[in-house]
């Protein structure tokens, strides 16, 4: 919609607010999408005769009038669609309205006095008439129970209202223009190009009798404008919905908001505590969902049939099977043909082709240490936030929960039946240990050798221990050179 602003003397005052303005719009001759006279006549008490050639509107009043009229059209359209789709009791099976029946007043007996000339046989007995009235009487609807407030009850908490910002016509138009820089509002049925998302929805409803209007972008269907807008915003800026505290990025604003409530809210504000673990929650529904996970773990509802590992939900079990046992390579790099399981891993790999190792590295703001990638930088930040974690089965301390889990799995975990020596039946926890053990049966040569002397080893751990103990200076220089080569 475009308006033509006409220059006017400062003595001309706005017809609506009576304020003087240098930039005005003629009421009768202004080039607008809607007739200004018609809008005043429709929403106010004015008549077309009340307007003259030299009457004007200021830009502020015109914007408010136009925005209200657009809002009026949306409300009118929604209620028209609702009334058209609502089944009417006056419709026959074919969906056509029954013809109206004309009834003349003279054909009706409207006299209030009883007709004594009628035969008694047509008059029902008193008992029969009461029975008939009882049958005709409609059944009473069951009243919905509402708890009555007692004098000693505490006052009910005020209802929370969602924070919703009402956008004007200009802001909505800017959003549509931003979305259309990436995807067009083309109808999926007839490929007609629409100007706005609302116009596209109206077109699909009116022309194709469907209330499931959606826009397809990047292989996904978007039924709401907000979801489509946030998708396009994230395509333009991948860090659009990034947490300001831990720098974790999310797909939309809802994910970021949920992350803030779950992770960064202080424990003193979480009023619902789990009686089986130290976790606390802000909402009772979150606690109920968490307790359901404990119950599923106890009953073994979501248990992996391959490794017998149990999970709190079926969704987590499916993710585990797909990531640990199946790992389909749905994403293939077009440069090196390497396959990846997740989209996140694929996007991280693509950066290694687009950026140099020096551009990929990130520096920690706390200890000034350089990390070779953003993924390593995020893991490093967890160490600062949580600190070292001590094992509950021995005196070992791990720098993170992930390292502690690996320590428990390797030191205190049960052997894997799949890693069994075919010669002596001994089971191992890691395939590396099994491979090193098989050397004792096959009699093959040593697997490892020291790069600083001629000594050989059948254990990788023994080789590293030998280097650090017997060649400390050479080991330090080699380690420093390897770290420097990662950033050059």
């Amino acid at each position: 919609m475009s308006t033509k602003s006409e220059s006017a003397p400062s003595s001309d005052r706005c017809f609506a607010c009576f304020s003087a303005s240098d930039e005005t719009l003629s009421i009768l001759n202004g080039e607008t999408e809607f007739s200004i006279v018609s809008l005043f006549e429709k929403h106010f008490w004015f008549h077309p005769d009340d307007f003259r050639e030299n009457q004007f509107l200021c830009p502020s009043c015109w914007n408010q009038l136009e925005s209200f009229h657009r809002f009026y059209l949306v409300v009118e359209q929604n209620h028209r669609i609702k009334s058209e789709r609502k089944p009417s009791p006056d419709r026959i099976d074919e969906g056509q309205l029954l013809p109206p029946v004309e009834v003349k007043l003279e054909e009706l007996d409207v006299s209030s006095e009883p007709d004594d000339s009628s035969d008694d046989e047509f008059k029902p007995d008193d008992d029969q008439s009461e029975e008939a009235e009882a049958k005709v009487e409609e059944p009473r609807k069951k009243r919905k129970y509402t708890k009555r407030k007692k004098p000693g009850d505490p006052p009910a908490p005020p209802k929370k209202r969602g924070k919703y910002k009402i956008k004007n016509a200009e802001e909505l138009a800017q959003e549509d223009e931003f979305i259309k820089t990436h995807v067009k509002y083309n109808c999926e049925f007839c490929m007609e190009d629409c100007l706005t998302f609302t116009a596209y929805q109206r077109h699909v409803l009116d022309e194709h009798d469907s209330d499931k209007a959606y826009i397809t972008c990047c292989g996904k269907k978007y039924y709401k404008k907000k979801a489509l807008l946030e998708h396009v915003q994230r395509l333009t800026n991948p860090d659009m919905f990034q947490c300001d505290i831990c720098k974790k990025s999310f797909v939309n604003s809802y994910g970021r908001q949920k992350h803030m409530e779950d992770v960064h809210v202080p424990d003193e504000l979480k009023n619902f505590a789990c009686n089986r673990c130290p976790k606390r929650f802000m909402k009772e529904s979150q606690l109920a969902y968490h307790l359901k996970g404990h119950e599923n773990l106890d009953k073994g509802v979501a248990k992996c049939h391959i490794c017998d590992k149990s999970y709190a939900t079926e969704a987590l079990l499916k993710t585990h099977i797909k990531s640990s046992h199946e790992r389909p390579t749905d994403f293939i790099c077009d440069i090196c043909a390497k396959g990846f399981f997740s989209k996140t891993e694929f996007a991280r790999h693509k950066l290694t082709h687009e950026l140099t190792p020096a551009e990929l590295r990130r520096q920690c703001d706390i200890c000034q240490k350089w990390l070779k990638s953003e993924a390593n930088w995020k893991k490093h930040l967890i160490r600062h936030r949580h600190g070292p974690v001590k094992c509950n089965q021995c005196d070992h301390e791990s720098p993170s929960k992930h390292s502690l889990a690996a320590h428990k799995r390797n030191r205190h975990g049960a052997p894997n039946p799949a890693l069994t020596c075919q010669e002596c039946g001994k089971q191992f926890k890691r395939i590396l240990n099994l491979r090193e053990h098989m050397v004792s049966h096959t009699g093959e040569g040593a697997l490892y050798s020291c790069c600083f002397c001629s000594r050989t080893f059948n254990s990788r751990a023994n080789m590293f221990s030998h280097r650090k103990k017997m060649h400390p200076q050479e080991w330090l220089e080699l380690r420093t050179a390897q770290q420097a080569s990662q950033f050059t």
Side-chain angles (χ1 to χ4, degrees), residues 108-177:
L108 300 176
D109 183 11
V110 295
S111 60
S112 60
E113 299 178 0
D115 187 3
D116 297 334
S117 61
S118 60
D119 298 332
D120 292 339
E121 59 180 344
F122 294 104
K123 292 182 179 180
D125 297 336
D126 293 340
D127 296 339
Q128 294 177 350
S129 63
E130 289 178 1
E131 249 180 41
E133 290 179 2
K135 290 181 180 179
V136 172
E137 183 180 359
E138 294 183 358
R140 294 179 61 187
K141 293 183 178 180
K142 188 176 179 181
R143 181 181 176 185
K144 185 177 180 181
Y145 173 75
T146 55
K147 186 177 180 181
R148 296 182 179 275
K149 186 177 180 182
K150 297 180 181 179
D153 292 344
K159 293 184 178 180
K160 296 182 179 180
R161 297 187 178 183
K163 297 179 181 180
Y164 180 77
K165 178 184 177 183
I166 300 178
K167 301 175 182 177
N168 55 35
E170 184 179 357
E171 292 175 331
L172 295 174
Q174 290 177 354
E175 291 179 351
D176 286 316
E177 291 299 325

Side-chain angles (χ1 to χ4, degrees), residues 25-84:
L25 182 69
S26 174
I27 293 181
L28 295 180
N29 301 321
E31 296 181 4
T32 59
E33 182 178 354
F34 306 104
S35 171
I36 303 179
V37 177
S38 301
L39 297 188
F40 269 108
E41 185 182 4
K42 184 178 187 64
H43 302 300
F44 298 95
W45 55 89
F46 299 108
H47 191 267
D49 297 337
D50 297 333
F51 301 98
R52 301 188 304 273
E53 290 288 341
N54 57 348
Q55 289 175 326
F56 303 93
L57 272 184
C58 67
S60 176
C61 290
W62 164 243
N63 290 335
Q64 295 183 60
L65 178 61
E66 183 189 25
S67 298
F68 175 77
H69 183 63
R70 291 186 184 276
F71 171 71
Y72 171 85
L73 292 178
V74 172
V75 175
E76 181 186 41
Q77 176 190 355
N78 291 340
H79 283 267
R80 175 178 58 81
I81 295 172
K82 180 180 178 182
S83 62
E84 288 177 356

Side-chain angles (χ1 to χ4, degrees), residues 244-245 247 362-371 377 380-381 384:
D244 297 331
I245 301 175
K247 306 303 180 183
R362 296 285 298 271
Q363 187 178 21
C364 175
D365 297 332
I366 301 175
C367 64
Q368 310 302 319
K369 183 178 180 180
W370 284 94
L371 290 307
W377 171 72
H380 175 78
L381 288 180
H384 286 298

Side-chain angles (χ1 to χ4, degrees), residues 36 81 110 112 176 205 243 259 280 283 316 339 341 375 392 405 430 433 477:
I36 303 179
I81 295 172
V110 295
S112 60
D176 286 316
L205 182 64
C243 175
H259 165 77
R280 303 178 66 88
K283 300 177 183 178
L316 292 176
F341 157 68
N392 56 1
R430 296 187 300 169
N433 300 130
E477 292 176 357

Side-chain angles (χ1 to χ4, degrees), residues 58-300:
C58 67
S60 176
C61 290
W62 164 243
N63 290 335
Q64 295 183 60
L65 178 61
E66 183 189 25
S67 298
F68 175 77
H69 183 63
R70 291 186 184 276
F71 171 71
Y72 171 85
L73 292 178
V74 172
V75 175
E76 181 186 41
Q77 176 190 355
N78 291 340
H79 283 267
R80 175 178 58 81
I81 295 172
K82 180 180 178 182
S83 62
E84 288 177 356
R85 290 179 173 268
K86 186 177 180 181
S88 174
D90 297 332
R91 294 180 181 267
I92 60 176
D93 294 342
E94 289 79 6
Q96 299 176 353
L97 291 174
L98 296 174
V101 180
E102 295 184 1
V103 181
K104 297 181 180 179
L105 292 177
E106 54 265 21
E107 296 178 0
L108 300 176
D109 183 11
V110 295
S111 60
S112 60
E113 299 178 0
D115 187 3
D116 297 334
S117 61
S118 60
D119 298 332
D120 292 339
E121 59 180 344
F122 294 104
K123 292 182 179 180
D125 297 336
D126 293 340
D127 296 339
Q128 294 177 350
S129 63
E130 289 178 1
E131 249 180 41
E133 290 179 2
K135 290 181 180 179
V136 172
E137 183 180 359
E138 294 183 358
R140 294 179 61 187
K141 293 183 178 180
K142 188 176 179 181
R143 181 181 176 185
K144 185 177 180 181
Y145 173 75
T146 55
K147 186 177 180 181
R148 296 182 179 275
K149 186 177 180 182
K150 297 180 181 179
D153 292 344
K159 293 184 178 180
K160 296 182 179 180
R161 297 187 178 183
K163 297 179 181 180
Y164 180 77
K165 178 184 177 183
I166 300 178
K167 301 175 182 177
N168 55 35
E170 184 179 357
E171 292 175 331
L172 295 174
Q174 290 177 354
E175 291 179 351
D176 286 316
E177 291 299 325
F178 177 72
I179 294 175
K180 287 192 294 183
T181 58
H182 186 77
V183 61
K184 303 298 181 184
Y185 294 142
N186 291 331
C187 177
E188 298 282 342
F189 301 97
C190 63
M191 299 306 295
E192 180 175 340
D193 189 14
C194 301
L195 296 178
T196 64
F197 192 86
T198 306
Y200 171 73
Q201 290 179 315
R202 189 185 306 120
H203 164 78
V204 174
L205 182 64
D206 295 342
E207 300 297 332
H208 307 289
D209 194 24
S210 174
D211 55 353
K212 298 294 184 182
Y214 60 85
I215 296 293
T216 303
C217 185
C218 299
K220 186 177 180 181
K221 298 177 181 179
Y222 293 90
Y223 294 88
K224 295 184 178 180
K225 181 181 177 181
K226 179 183 178 182
L228 178 60
L229 174 64
E230 293 186 348
H231 168 69
V232 177
Q233 287 176 335
R234 190 167 181 266
L235 290 177
T236 307
N237 179 16
D239 296 331
M240 180 69 186
F241 305 104
Q242 187 183 71
C243 175
D244 297 331
I245 301 175
C246 64
K247 306 303 180 183
K248 186 177 181 179
S249 295
F250 297 88
V251 177
N252 49 38
S253 58
Y254 174 76
R256 179 176 59 184
Q257 178 184 353
K258 189 174 183 301
H259 165 77
M260 294 294 295
E261 294 177 356
D262 296 343
V263 179
H264 298 300
V265 173
D267 288 341
E268 55 267 18
L269 298 180
K270 299 178 180 180
N271 300 323
F272 301 95
C274 177
N275 56 4
R276 300 188 58 177
C277 69
K279 288 188 176 181
R280 303 178 66 88
F281 303 90
M282 289 190 63
K283 300 177 183 178
E284 188 176 5
S285 59
Q286 295 174 339
L287 174 61
Y289 181 80
H290 171 77
L291 292 174
K292 184 66 176 178
H294 281 296
E295 184 179 349
N296 291 341
L297 288 173
D298 295 338
K299 297 180 179 179

